[in-house]
Each structure stands twice: as structure tokens, then as C-alpha cells.
Amino acid sequence: MKVLVPVKRVLDYNVKPRVKADGTGVDLANVKMSMNPFDEIAVEEAIRLKDKGVTEIVVVSIGEQKSQETLRTALAMGADRAILVVSETKVEPLGVAKILAKIVEEEKPDLVILGKQAIDDDNNQTGQMLAGLLGWGQGTFASKVEIADGSVNVTREVDGGAETDTLKLPAIITTDLRLNEPRYASLPNIMKAKSKPMAQKTPADFGIDVTPRLTTLKVVEPAKRSAGIKVADVDALVGKLKEMGVAK
Amino acid sequence: MKTLVWVEHDGQAVKDATLSAVTAASQLGEVHLLVVGQGVDGVAAEAAKIAGVGKVHVADDAAFAHALAENVAPLIVELMGTHDAFVAPSTTHGKNIAPRVAALLDVMQVSDILSVESEDTFTRPIYAGNAIATVQSTDAKKVITVRGTAFAKAATEGGSGEIEAVASTGDKGLSTFAGSEIAKNERPELTSAKIIVSGGRALASSDQFHAMIDPLADKLGAGVGASRAAVDAGYAPNDYQVGQTGKIVAPEVYVAVGISGAIQHLAGMKDSKVIIAINKDEDAPIFQVADIGLVGDLFKIVPELTAKL
């Protein structure tokens, strides 16, 4: 059984984003970039499925040349080989899904595991779009994945609780935070990852037009909250709550 | 523009998230609703009364009982032949279904919009709400999800939508619903609660979480939320989580108890009208967004506060 795991290079989740003064976007010059946290969970899940019949894990990243660092991280975690689709311009989820659909046609995986959203664009679209394009079942926001014979049971985090769906294989899964705890790559594995194969492609190789459909007109900082006050004790807090009409 | 709005419901009643989506859709033009499910006559009748609503399309079929995206998306794609935009609230159903619809229509979805600037231009948060982008869509048809807290709720009375049955597109046989575990919760639902009391890692155990947070929430008639740390540690159920990856809330009053205020948490609550923080670390980032802060030991403060309310 083959699993495909798309990963994205994003601004590290601990870094506070700075909006550029000219309003064109968020400043990504000289800031720490990492693998999108949900994608780490996706890679981890694929590795964990290795003792349940998964024989090969292929990781894919679409983006600038530096995305190969992200792919090396995935290889160091335990993926077998990587495909880098180089595009120096940003590719939207629809474009990413179309490229991934082509890669799926070539690679014929039984399962594609993606993160539920990237923490930069916060779109939460790519997995669903890929499932739509392929006509496959989708198990989004997964907190538990169980491979059965010809199908996969996916427990999903939904509003109000959890829901389990059974999907016919091949299928798409997107990971939620609680699916697993991703491992750290050990130094020997980081060294070993350097010699694992990494193919390089471009969107044009797949005949996919990645011209953006959305134009970002401007990016601004959200309205700042005005500075608050600190109260000395519970009585003062109760007084404030009463003033606001929250407490009687 | 003729817009089709996904009606979020639990089989019994229309959920509040729908009402915010209707408000957003009404800024685009004529509003039609889509009620999908099994045995949803009551929901459809309720939906038809929402102010400003035109036609209410109702697709009642066993294949739609659990709103599986694989079955529902083809139905919406068909209806999009006569609509210009599909609008869904940013609920788990909305987020699950809308991008599948967008891909089938070959359009880019605009996720989680905060405002409608014009028929093709919207604002949306990126980077966990640390930046707001204004985006313009060049696609002929629009697929949009709406952040509920950013739009007022449409009135639930006064409308007289015309109910029209839609033929089922059938079961695509890709997925089946196997079961669900919905947490029982007597308190106000998080995303629509006026007051929320939220607990963090500092509560230190599930027992203490409930012993501290629940009575305070009950006194205030509040919903109960939690930080990711508290949920991951097992102090509170998953669906309590407020933040970038959990629920986005904007109540009148948000009381953060023992929550440091990581950016991922702030992403879910910083649009609350009044933020109150109780934390023993006076340098905790939560105090930078709190309107009222109280520095001290929550295990002393919270019971005292509960008693004095």
C-alpha cells in the first residue's frame, strides 16, 4: 500500500507574523520557516501505518526551491522518497490540488494524507479539493485512522464532538491536531535522508496552469485592542462585572 | 447575484451559523437556501421564515442524512447551474463540503470571510488572524465560507421563502456514516454564547477544570471553552477548544482563566467585546489583549469570584 503525503513550508508557528508596511503581505524575509504542523501529523500518521500494510511513503511539496528542506525533514522522519514541484510564485489550493491530482494519477497511491489547513493562509481547502477532483472519499479533520480491508475508518473532529465515517479506498484524509504526536527526526536519520531520492518538477510538467484566481489587493494588521486595566482584587473585578451588567 | 446558502442544522432546528451566512449572502444579492438531510420538513419550514430569504431548496434523502460531502457536493454543483455564489458558514460541515464544491466548479474558494467589500471582493484573516487580507476573486462563480462571528444574525422571523423540493443526486457509494459521539452539553453553545469562561493548562487536572470553571460559568450563564493545552492534557473535551484550529468565538465577555495567550489561542477569541484574564503570571501575553486583568492564583480567585457573583 502506497501513501502520498503533501507537505507545505510555512512560517514557523511560534513566530509572530509581521505585516509589511506597504500592505503587500506578511514579511517572510529572514524568518524561521518550518513544516506546517498539520503536515507533520500527516507524515507521522503515514509512518505509523507502515506496520499496518503501508509499504511506501512519498512526500510532495509545491513551492519555492527551499521547500526541499521541508521534504528532507519528512524524509528524515521516515518517508521513502520525495517530489518537489518548484514554483517561485505562490500556488493556490486549487492549483495545488490539480498538481496533486496529476501526481496521484502517476503514483497511484491508496491513500493521500494532508494536513487539515496550512497555518499561513488558513484556507482548509486542499484536501477536499483533491478529493473532489479525483472523485474519492474524504475523511477531513481526522483524529483517528484505521485501515480495514479495502476501506478506512476515519474518526473526525466535528462541531459538538466526533463522527466516524467509513471510506472506500483509495481515499483522502486530512489531519487534525489530535491524530498523533509527530516524532523528531534523529541525527542518523537526518543524515540518511540526504541520500533518499528527490525528484524535481514544475507545474508545467503536469500541464497545470497555476495562475491565481484570487488577487490579494492588500494585507493589513488587524485592529489593535486598546490597552486594558488591571484590577487589584476579586471585589474590584466583581464591581467591573456589575458595571457591565454581566453580574447582578 | 443569486446566492445559495447552506443551511446548517442538526435535523431539528436551524443553527445560528446559518443566520450569519444569510446576512453575508444578502450583501451579494438574492438569497436562496439549501436544506439537505433526511426528514427535514421542520427545518425547511423554519428556514423559510428567515428574513430576506427567497427560495428554499430542500433535498430530502437517506443519502443526505449525515451531510457526507461526497453525496452533497454533486447536488450543490447541480444547483450552482442556476446560482452565482455558494455560501456556507465556517462550520465543520461548511468547511468539509464547500472546497469540494469549488473544485468541481473549477473555482478558488474564499475561506472564512470577515466582510463583503463588493460582489467579488472580500476580507479574510490569514496567519491565525495576525493579518487581514483583502482578496478579489476572478472566478465567474463564487464559493465562500463565512466566519459567523463577523456578521450579524439574520432575523428568524418575517421571511416567507418558497419551499421547493430538489431531486436527490443519490448515494455516490464513496463513504458511509458509521457513528458519532456528540458531547452532551447543557450550557450555551460556544460559538453563540454571550459569555464564555475558558480554562487553560494552569487548571492542572480535569477534576480541577470542572471544579473551578463549571460553577463560575453556571453563575454567569456562560459557555465553557478551553485552550489547546487544556484539551491536549485531557482536562476538557476536544470540542471545547477555542483557537486557530478550534472554534472562533466573539462573545460579549470572554473570561480566560489560567490561559497564557499563545497566538493560536488569541486567533480564536481576540474579537470578543470584553476580555477578562485571570493569570498568576503578570507577563503572560493574554494581558496584552485583556480589557480587565487580575494577577493572582486562580485557585483562590475563581472560587472567591464565583461566591461573590
Side-chain angles (χ1 to χ4, degrees):
Chain A
M1 188 165 164
K2 193 197 268 190
V3 180
L4 189 76
V5 184
V7 295
K8 186 178 184 184
R9 181 175 184 264
V10 298
L11 179 67
D12 188 86
Y13 75 99
N14 279 315
V15 177
K16 177 135 169 63
R18 284 190 321 272
V19 173
K20 284 193 231 170
D22 63 1
T24 54
V26 165
D27 194 355
L28 296 178
N30 307 313
V31 288
K32 189 182 176 207
M33 305 290 280
S34 305
M35 192 192 301
N36 180 43
F38 291 99
D39 302 348
E40 287 185 345
I41 295 170
V43 174
E44 176 67 33
E45 194 63 18
I47 296 164
R48 290 188 190 190
L49 290 172
K50 265 200 160 173
D51 52 12
K52 291 181 187 113
V54 168
T55 48
E56 188 182 27
I57 300 168
V58 181
V59 285
V60 183
S61 195
I62 299 165
E64 52 182 344
Q65 193 61 250
K66 283 180 178 163
S67 299
Q68 60 173 281
E69 293 165 13
T70 311
L71 288 170
R72 289 287 170 211
T73 305
L75 293 171
M77 286 173 74
D80 298 297
R81 64 188 167 87
I83 302 169
L84 173 63
V85 181
V86 181
S87 168
E88 294 301 328
T89 55
K90 215 177 90 170
V91 185
E92 291 173 338
L94 183 64
V96 170
K98 285 180 177 176
I99 293 169
L100 291 175
K102 289 283 183 193
I103 293 175
V104 164
E105 271 173 34
E106 282 176 14
E107 295 284 340
K108 301 193 171 40
D110 303 279
L111 206 56
V112 183
I113 310 179
L114 308 87
K116 81 163 176 183
Q117 76 191 60
I119 60 165
D120 51 0
D121 289 335
D122 283 333
N123 272 316
N124 197 330
Q125 299 175 1
T126 309
Q128 296 90 314
M129 286 182 156
L130 178 60
L133 294 176
L134 295 169
W136 290 8
Q138 63 185 57
T140 50
F141 328 135
S143 59
K144 194 176 170 196
V145 173
E146 282 174 332
I147 306 272
D149 195 21
S151 66
V152 57
N153 291 319
V154 183
T155 301
R156 307 171 49 229
E157 293 201 5
V158 297
D159 295 334
E163 172 179 321
T164 303
D165 296 334
T166 304
L167 310 175
K168 205 170 85 179
L169 289 174
I172 304 290
I173 290 170
T174 76
T175 64
D176 215 320
L177 279 173
R178 270 166 287 277
L179 181 57
N180 61 48
E181 192 78 44
R183 71 193 62 194
Y184 289 102
S186 65
L187 190 57
N189 285 343
I190 292 170
M191 298 313 288
K192 241 192 276 173
K194 291 189 172 155
S195 56
K196 286 185 179 175
M198 186 182 299
Q200 191 153 327
K201 307 258 188 182
T202 67
D205 293 339
F206 300 101
I208 300 292
D209 176 11
V210 291
T211 310
R213 307 290 188 84
L214 301 180
T215 314
T216 300
L217 302 179
K218 65 174 177 192
V219 176
V220 297
E221 276 189 35
K224 287 241 182 338
R225 292 188 74 96
S226 51
I229 54 155
K230 284 210 174 103
V231 292
D233 53 26
V234 171
D235 288 319
L237 179 54
V238 172
K240 285 280 170 196
L241 288 170
K242 283 182 177 163
E243 255 174 60
M244 289 189 287
V246 172
K248 287 174 204 83
Chain B
M1 260 182 126
K2 217 195 260 181
T3 63
L4 185 67
V5 176
W6 171 262
V7 173
E8 181 78 16
H9 65 84
D10 57 5
Q12 313 295 323
V14 173
K15 296 266 192 184
D16 279 357
T18 312
L19 305 174
S20 304
V22 165
T23 301
S26 66
Q27 295 173 16
L28 291 170
E30 195 182 330
V31 179
H32 287 190
L33 300 184
L34 174 62
V35 178
V36 172
Q38 189 179 21
V40 287
D41 287 353
V43 176
E46 203 187 312
K49 288 189 207 145
I50 298 172
V53 163
K55 211 168 267 178
V56 180
H57 303 272
V58 182
D60 203 318
D61 191 278
F64 299 148
H66 301 284
L68 294 168
E70 297 84 349
N71 293 347
V72 169
L75 172 84
I76 297 167
V77 169
E78 208 169 279
L79 285 166
M80 285 304 288
T82 52
H83 293 83
D84 307 302
F86 176 66
V87 172
S90 295
T91 55
T92 41
H93 279 143
K95 289 190 280 197
N96 187 39
I97 294 163
R100 193 172 177 110
V101 171
L104 294 172
L105 294 171
D106 192 26
V107 305
M108 241 313 277
Q109 172 177 298
V110 189
S111 292
D112 213 21
I113 62 163
L114 301 172
S115 72
V116 176
E117 301 295 304
S118 74
E119 271 194 1
D120 62 2
T121 307
F122 312 91
T123 64
R124 60 176 305 266
I126 54 175
Y127 290 90
N130 282 291
I132 309 294
T134 304
V135 295
Q136 186 171 32
S137 166
T138 56
D139 286 314
K141 302 232 183 228
K142 313 283 185 263
V143 174
I144 295 161
T145 61
V146 172
R147 176 168 292 195
T149 56
F151 292 86
K153 294 179 182 64
T156 52
E157 294 291 336
S160 54
E162 181 197 335
I163 295 175
E164 187 178 294
V166 185
S168 172
T169 41
D171 191 336
K172 301 298 168 194
L174 296 170
S175 58
T176 48
F177 173 84
S180 67
E181 268 177 69
I182 300 302
K184 285 215 168 41
N185 201 343
E186 302 295 316
R187 297 197 178 80
E189 210 174 298
L190 264 187
T191 47
S192 56
K194 287 209 160 51
I195 305 173
I196 292 172
V197 180
S198 228
R201 201 202 315 253
L203 272 309
S205 75
S206 173
D207 289 347
Q208 297 194 76
F209 186 96
H210 293 294
M212 292 289 133
I213 301 296
D214 291 0
L216 177 58
D218 288 341
K219 267 278 171 74
L220 293 167
V224 175
S227 68
R228 181 190 165 188
V231 171
D232 280 351
Y235 306 164
N238 298 354
D239 63 306
Y240 277 37
Q241 189 183 323
V242 171
Q244 183 184 20
T245 60
K247 294 198 167 72
I248 312 286
V249 300
E252 305 275 321
V253 181
Y254 188 91
V255 187
V257 178
I259 293 175
S260 63
I263 56 174
Q264 291 80 10
H265 185 73
L266 300 183
M269 45 63 80
K270 68 188 164 71
D271 293 322
S272 305
K273 281 237 174 62
V274 176
I275 297 172
I276 297 173
I278 299 169
N279 204 301
K280 68 175 181 202
D281 174 12
E282 63 179 316
D283 296 322
I286 190 78
F287 287 120
Q288 289 162 24
V289 299
D291 301 279
I292 304 171
L294 178 51
V295 179
D297 180 2
L298 71 93
F299 294 106
K300 291 199 186 88
I301 291 172
V302 174
E304 188 187 342
L305 177 61
T306 308
K308 284 179 174 169
L309 285 171

